[in-house]
């Protein structure tokens, strides 16, 4: 059975929130992965993805057209905030913010 990832035709969360990350997540630090040129410094303790500090927000790493066809150009190196924001939570319950962004009502059931 194949599962189509709705994120590939969405991208709403990448063009809605300010996506914050810790400075040491950037590749300016040893072990960091997020390309520093895609980030903006907010203060001593946090960065955000470039473009998500603007209005309307849109991450500089997002390619394509929101709601049609999108991809993350730094997918393998994206920050933890992005890794942790998914259609479903780890326990299988729906991510209500994701469903709301897509104009959908979250399903009542937990995904198997
Ligand atoms: S996590 Fe949800 S809001 Fe974000 S791209 Fe995927 S489907 Fe869209
Ligand atoms: S880094 Fe990738 S997943 Fe995260 S907000 Fe930007 S485009 Fe979206």
């Amino acid at each position: 059975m194949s599962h189509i990832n709705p994120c590939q035709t969405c991208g709403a969360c990448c063009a809605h929130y300010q996506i914050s990350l810790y400075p040491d997540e950037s590749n300016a630090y040893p072990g960091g992965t997020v390309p520093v040129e895609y980030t903006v410094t907010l203060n001593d303790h946090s960065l955000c993805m470039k473009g998500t500090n603007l209005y309307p927000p849109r991450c500089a790493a997002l390619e394509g057209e929101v709601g049609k066809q999108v991809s993350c150009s730094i997918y393998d190196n994206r920050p933890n905030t992005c890794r942790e924001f998914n259609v479903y939570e780890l326990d299988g319950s729906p991510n209500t913010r994701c469903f709301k962004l897509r104009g959908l009502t979250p399903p009542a059931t937990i995904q198997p």
Side-chain angles (χ1 to χ4, degrees):
M1 190 163 83
S2 72
H3 290 279
I4 295 171
N5 183 350
C7 299
Q8 293 171 351
T9 54
C10 179
C13 55
C14 310
H16 185 80
Y17 298 115
Q18 178 171 283
I19 311 292
S20 299
L21 57 146
Y22 292 110
D24 63 4
E25 289 184 72
S26 90
N27 64 5
Y29 285 80
T33 60
V34 183
V36 69
E37 64 269 25
Y38 281 97
T39 68
V40 171
T41 300
L42 295 175
N43 54 51
D44 288 348
H45 308 291
S46 64
L47 313 177
C48 74
M49 292 307 295
K50 186 181 283 184
T52 68
N53 56 325
L54 303 176
Y55 188 82
R58 180 183 165 116
C59 180
L62 183 66
E63 295 183 337
E65 188 174 345
V66 173
K68 292 202 168 169
Q69 190 72 40
V70 292
S71 62
C72 172
S73 63
I74 60 161
Y75 188 79
D76 288 341
N77 296 313
R78 68 199 189 283
N80 288 327
T81 301
C82 305
R83 295 175 190 277
E84 292 166 2
F85 194 97
N86 295 298
V87 179
Y88 289 91
E89 308 288 3
L90 288 176
D91 67 359
S93 62
N95 174 352
T96 54
R97 290 182 296 161
C98 162
F99 280 80
K100 195 171 171 188
L101 278 176
R102 292 187 289 153
L104 301 173
T105 303
T109 54
I110 286 185
Q111 200 179 28

